[in-house]
Amino acid sequence: MKFDKILQYQKIDQELLALETEVAKSEVRQKFALAKSKLDGATATIGKLKTEANDLLNGYTAMKERIDALKAEIDEFDGILDDVQDVGEAEHYLKLVTAISEKIVALEKEANAASSRIDQVNDAYKKTWEQGVKASEAYNAARTEYNAFVGERQPRVTEIKKQLDALKPDIPEQIMKTYMSLRATKKMPAFVEYDPNKKICGRCYMEVPNDTCAKLRNAGDFAECPNCRGILFVSED
Ligand SMILES: [Zn+2]
């Protein structure tokens, strides 16, 4: 009896698969996933705004320092012009002061723009923070609901898994491996009995090609259906 245990396993496993599908497709699962993505989105936005606010603030502080330094430079010219007799020299100083003043005006303009951008970012931060708090509450509620839904099914899941674990030692490793990979890709049932006289796959109902038929002549033979990838086997009964 090469396949009776895996067939028994497959039959019991169908209920576990059904429970897993029920949970995966449930409304509470979708609500939970949506709440999580909203919370993740708010958290990411908060992080971005925080970085932007920090960068802006650093830029603003640097500009203010530069403005103060330029103002101090202008202050150094105080009194100098009073002592200058030569017109050419006076013009030279005046040009220097004008150039510095223009720099200050430009920097102040830039600093003001940064300041209003900082205000905007702060407003956006506050708003997103409030959304984040709400998203966090919604996430916690959805998680509780989801966990309760899963929890209700847990005793049955545990029971089924115990039955499956008890069967496992009697199933050849290669057959188990094949089964698990088909299960993972949701190709169920994985093992289907094949009648060498009919030459039809019992899973996808396609005609089995000759080279596959050749592998499925005697009791205990098994081969993959080239169409649906299910495992066809010849019963030993
Ligand atoms: Zn098939």
Side-chain angles (χ1 to χ4, degrees), residues 200-206 208 224-230 232:
I200 298 284
C201 170
R203 198 173 164 266
C204 68
Y205 302 106
M206 292 292 283
V208 177
E224 189 185 273
C225 165
N227 181 51
C228 70
R229 307 278 161 209
L232 305 171

Side-chain angles (χ1 to χ4, degrees), residues 39-51 124-125 128 131:
L39 180 60
D40 289 347
T43 308
T45 308
I46 285 170
K48 264 188 218 155
L49 288 169
K50 216 172 176 174
T51 308
Y125 184 86
T128 314
Q131 284 168 359

Side-chain angles (χ1 to χ4, degrees), residues 74 91-104:
I74 286 186
E91 262 179 10
H92 168 71
Y93 282 127
L94 210 63
K95 257 187 200 164
L96 278 178
V97 171
T98 307
I100 296 170
S101 298
E102 276 168 2
K103 259 191 214 165
I104 291 173

Side-chain angles (χ1 to χ4, degrees), residues 202-228:
R203 198 173 164 266
C204 68
Y205 302 106
M206 292 292 283
E207 203 175 313
V208 177
N210 284 337
D211 54 339
T212 306
C213 286
K215 295 175 196 161
L216 294 162
R217 278 190 184 134
N218 305 307
D221 286 350
F222 65 101
E224 189 185 273
C225 165
N227 181 51
C228 70

Side-chain angles (χ1 to χ4, degrees), residues 155-166:
R156 184 67 192 139
V157 167
T158 309
E159 213 173 297
I160 298 168
K161 281 187 176 167
K162 231 166 101 183
Q163 289 175 24
L164 293 177
D165 283 343

